[in-house]
């Protein structure tokens, strides 16, 4: 009886997937159909489901940063209301994630861009789960971007945003009491710390998943300008100032 009840749902899902492939593939090439916003919305929802990653019993992480690439014709047509469309699509992803009890590592963003190699009616979706990183003030400028005003200040850079290292020892991790908080499921509450000196030192604090520098797992290592530090899926670049 249960199998009979579940069968129609499976058939509908397969039909929907087949229809999406036809709309975004053969039909679009044959008839030059223009991309419609509802098609993008459907593709984003499918991307969320396909990329959902089970971390533990309570958390299934989904992408929160989406790049939608469109042909020149479709981009010019949709660019008229680009900002509103991006906002609506981001809201759709956030609401859908909430309904499914998925975990988002940071704010949802959807970016529409032009790809001259795509034909009218064809579009591409790329996504990533980008952790939200924040720092504590500690009595001096410590908000994202503050370090950009003083290049002499040692700092960590994440996705173009600078986080100043204002203490002799800066602790990183998922815990609320860390100096730089990284909302990444691969990060421990107290994951690692950076000791400012000549040279600066990076020390793992017995993290579950490890701290990696330039692709290799470390226990303790000296930091040089431009060193890439990976915690979970989050990459940070050390700048000596």
């Amino acid at each position: 009886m249960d199998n009979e009840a579940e069968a129609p749902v499976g058939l509908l899902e397969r039909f929907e997937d087949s229809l999406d492939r036809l709309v975004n593939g053969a039909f679009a090439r044959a008839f030059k159909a223009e991309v419609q916003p509802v098609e993008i919305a459907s593709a984003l929802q499918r991307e969320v489901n396909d990329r959902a990653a089970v971390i533990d019993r309570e958390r299934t992480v989904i992408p929160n940063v989406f790049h939608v690439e469109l042909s020149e014709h479709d981009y010019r047509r949709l660019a008229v209301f680009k900002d509103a469309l991006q906002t609506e699509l981001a809201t759709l992803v956030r609401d859908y994630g909430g309904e499914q009890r998925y975990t988002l590592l940071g704010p949802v963003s959807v970016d529409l861009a032009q790809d001259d190699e795509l034909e009218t009616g064809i579009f591409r979706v790329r996504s990533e789960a980008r952790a939200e990183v924040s720092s504590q003030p500690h009595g001096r400028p410590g908000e994202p971007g503050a370090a950009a005003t003083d290049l002499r200040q040692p700092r960590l850079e994440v996705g173009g945003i600078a986080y100043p290292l204002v203490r002799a020892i800066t602790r990183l991790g998922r815990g609320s009491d860390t100096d730089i908080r990284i909302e990444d499921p691969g990060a421990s509450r107290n994951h690692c710390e950076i000791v400012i000196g000549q040279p600066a030192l990076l020390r793992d604090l017995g993290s579950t998943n490890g701290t990696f520098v330039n692709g290799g797992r470390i226990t303790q290592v000296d930091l040089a300008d431009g060193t890439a530090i990976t915690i979970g899926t989050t990459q940070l670049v050390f700048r000596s100032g």
Side-chain angles (χ1 to χ4, degrees), residues 60-139:
T60 298
V61 173
I62 60 172
N64 60 308
V65 177
F66 299 84
H67 303 279
V68 180
E69 298 167 350
L70 300 156
S71 69
E72 179 183 3
H73 174 80
D74 286 314
Y75 179 78
R76 283 192 287 106
R77 183 173 58 86
L78 296 177
V80 177
F81 49 99
K82 177 181 177 180
D83 291 343
L85 180 56
Q86 289 179 158
T87 299
E88 289 299 320
L89 290 170
T91 300
L92 179 145
V93 171
R94 187 176 62 250
D95 291 348
Y96 179 71
E99 290 177 357
Q100 301 300 315
R101 297 185 178 180
Y102 288 147
T103 298
L104 289 163
L105 299 183
V108 177
S109 66
V110 178
D111 176 60
L112 302 181
Q114 179 177 317
D115 187 334
D116 295 334
E117 295 183 355
L118 294 177
E119 299 179 15
T120 299
I122 306 296
F123 68 95
R124 184 186 300 117
V125 176
R126 294 183 293 107
S127 67
E128 61 177 303
R130 184 180 299 171
E132 185 175 17
V133 180
S134 59
S135 61
Q136 301 294 335
H138 300 311

Side-chain angles (χ1 to χ4, degrees), residues 49-64:
N49 291 330
D50 290 346
R51 296 288 305 277
V54 178
I55 304 302
D56 52 41
R57 293 176 59 184
E58 298 181 353
R59 289 181 299 169
T60 298
V61 173
I62 60 172
N64 60 308

Side-chain angles (χ1 to χ4, degrees), residues 168-214:
I169 299 178
T170 299
R171 183 162 293 188
L172 294 78
R174 195 157 46 87
S176 59
D177 58 342
T178 53
D179 301 300
I180 296 181
R181 187 176 183 183
I182 302 175
E183 285 291 344
D184 189 304
S188 297
R189 292 187 61 82
N190 289 289
H191 195 99
C192 62
E193 63 185 13
I194 295 177
V195 182
I196 297 301
Q198 296 296 331
L201 178 72
L202 172 66
R203 181 186 298 136
D204 184 81
L205 298 175
S207 63
T208 301
N209 297 307
T211 302
F212 293 79
V213 167
N214 297 330

Side-chain angles (χ1 to χ4, degrees), residues 156 172 191-195 200-205 207 209-239:
L156 291 174
L172 294 78
H191 195 99
C192 62
E193 63 185 13
I194 295 177
V195 182
L201 178 72
L202 172 66
R203 181 186 298 136
D204 184 81
L205 298 175
S207 63
N209 297 307
T211 302
F212 293 79
V213 167
N214 297 330
R217 187 165 183 167
I218 62 95
T219 300
Q220 182 172 300
V221 68
D222 292 342
L223 291 174
D225 186 69
T227 298
I229 304 168
T230 302
I231 298 175
T233 60
T234 303
Q235 187 172 87
L236 310 94
V237 178
F238 173 75
R239 297 297 180 187

